[in-house]
Amino acid sequence: MTDSSRWKSTIYIGGLSPAVTTTTLQEAFVPFGEIADVSLPKNENPNTAATEPHRGFAYVEFEDADDAKEAIDNMDQAELFGRVIKVSAAKAPKSAAGQGLGSKTAVWEQEGWLAEHAVSEEDRNAAEQAQNARPEDPMQGLEGLDVAGPKPE
């Protein structure tokens, strides 16, 4: 299965109770189709790991993308362990797309960045000439105004 088709058949589940386990999620979502994988990211903070064993969200990957859509339609805003859960299509991480911050390619080597920020040689020369040009004297043209007030007649 390719990465893009994997993300199409993967759903995000948010707002999970600390009592939820991978087995619970497997049992809750198996009526919608065959499940390939259940991922429940662990809490990395050692101070709260005892009270919150996971981060409050999970990913469930189905074998078929239609099963994932069915699960989203039926389980979004449903209640699981006393909490209303949010179920939506999972988004591929930016690093998987190979674009933006977090990717393994330098930002200026990415096609999108180069197209957006490229400067033509003509524009670069015009900018250099503008910097090298001497600024105009702001006092120029004010020589005849040595007397304040209206002009004497």
Side-chain angles (χ1 to χ4, degrees):
M1 190 181 285
T2 65
D3 278 348
S4 64
S5 63
R6 280 187 69 199
W7 284 108
K8 287 180 183 174
S9 62
T10 303
I11 60 173
Y12 163 85
I13 304 138
L16 295 174
S17 165
V20 173
T21 63
T22 54
T23 307
T24 310
L25 289 171
Q26 182 97 21
E27 292 168 356
F29 286 91
V30 77
F32 305 107
E34 194 172 332
I35 294 175
D37 185 36
V38 177
S39 173
L40 191 63
K42 299 286 182 211
N43 191 353
E44 296 172 2
N45 186 349
N47 298 330
T48 60
T51 58
E52 298 174 12
H54 56 78
R55 295 172 60 189
F57 65 91
Y59 295 99
V60 175
E61 181 184 343
F62 287 91
E63 291 290 334
D64 186 26
D66 292 332
D67 296 339
K69 289 177 187 168
E70 185 77 20
I72 292 168
D73 292 341
N74 288 293
M75 292 295 283
D76 188 32
Q77 301 300 316
E79 190 173 321
L80 185 66
F81 279 87
R83 288 200 180 173
V84 176
I85 59 173
K86 170 153 179 42
V87 181
S88 61
K91 295 179 180 145
K94 288 190 178 192
S95 60
Q99 294 289 325
L101 297 175
S103 72
K104 298 202 181 331
T105 308
V107 72
W108 54 86
E109 290 179 357
Q110 298 171 8
E111 284 185 37
W113 187 91
L114 192 57
E116 189 175 324
H117 296 91
V119 178
S120 70
E121 192 65 36
E122 183 180 317
D123 291 341
R124 189 174 292 122
N125 290 340
E128 284 179 20
Q129 286 177 357
Q131 281 182 339
N132 294 338
R134 230 179 126 154
E136 220 177 281
D137 183 12
M139 301 303 286
Q140 190 174 19
L142 300 177
E143 293 84 19
L145 299 177
D146 55 347
V147 178
K151 288 184 180 181
E153 292 189 47

